[in-house]
Amino acid sequence: MGFGRIFFFIFGFALLEVLVLAQVAGAIGWPITIIVTVITALLGSYLFRRQGLDTWVRLNQRMQQGEMPGQEMVEGMMLLLGGALLITPGFITDAVGFALLLPGSRRWMASKVIKKGTLQGFTTVQGAGFAYTRTRYPGGGANPFQQQPGRNDDRTITGGDTIEGESHRTDR
């Protein structure tokens, strides 16, 4: 996505947000619209702190058990985005922000993101680790990762595998 597309997307979204605010203010008045916007920001801040703490506790528990906390990492990113959207004035950003902060919808969206396939990296005191999860290509469609003719490697990616690993520096 080029810079121009990003600029026009952000500009268009901001314009849409202003139009929605103006419509709501026309229906209920500007003072009430401003109060509602401030209340959603305060409520979002509270939810962000509470849900963030719960997610942090679950992340630490998974790591102490030696498991990869992929769900919790994705949820943590969603919490950050949801918190940022809720402190941004506007009703569209509030709706998306609340969807990212409420546990049921956030967990559902995080599981969809993980099922779609992600590459997650993390750094520890001892080194770095990774987990790669990818999806199957339905209907035998083109797999962009399959070995190309003339390439000098023997890797082909098969569907549904998860590869986890850890590395440690020994030159210290």
Side-chain angles (χ1 to χ4, degrees):
M1 189 183 263
F3 177 74
R5 286 184 181 174
I6 293 172
F7 173 78
F8 284 117
F9 173 77
I10 292 172
F11 180 76
F13 185 79
L15 183 63
L16 180 64
E17 192 74 83
V18 168
L19 291 173
V20 169
L21 273 171
Q23 289 292 320
V24 171
I28 64 174
W30 278 106
I32 295 174
T33 302
I34 292 170
I35 290 170
V36 169
T37 303
V38 170
I39 288 172
T40 59
L42 293 173
L43 183 60
S45 174
Y46 169 77
L47 282 172
F48 175 70
R49 279 183 272 142
R50 175 145 183 174
Q51 296 301 316
L53 181 62
D54 291 346
T55 302
W56 182 255
V57 167
R58 286 189 293 120
L59 183 132
N60 281 328
Q61 287 173 343
R62 296 274 308 264
M63 289 185 72
Q64 287 175 356
Q65 294 170 353
E67 299 174 2
M68 179 68 178
Q71 176 86 16
E72 289 76 13
M73 288 178 11
V74 172
E75 284 187 38
M77 295 304 295
M78 289 180 165
L79 282 168
L80 287 173
L81 180 59
L85 289 173
L86 277 168
I87 61 172
T88 304
F91 292 110
I92 299 170
T93 54
D94 287 349
V96 175
F98 276 119
L100 291 171
L101 286 183
L102 295 175
S105 59
R106 184 184 66 247
R107 287 187 183 123
W108 178 80
M109 286 186 270
S111 68
K112 293 292 181 188
V113 167
I114 290 170
K115 284 180 184 175
K116 185 175 181 180
T118 58
L119 178 63
Q120 304 159 347
F122 60 93
T123 304
T124 64
V125 174
Q126 299 153 338
F130 67 90
Y132 176 73
T133 307
R134 100 199 118 50
T135 58
R136 297 178 186 268
Y137 295 90
N143 181 342
F145 299 107
Q146 256 180 335
Q147 183 177 354
Q148 302 296 317
R151 275 180 54 184
N152 227 0
D153 61 7
D154 59 356
R155 353 173 245 146
T156 56
I157 295 181
T158 58
D161 297 330
T162 298
I163 304 167
E164 294 186 27
E166 195 171 308
S167 65
H168 301 278
R169 287 186 72 155
T170 57
D171 60 349
R172 289 187 187 181

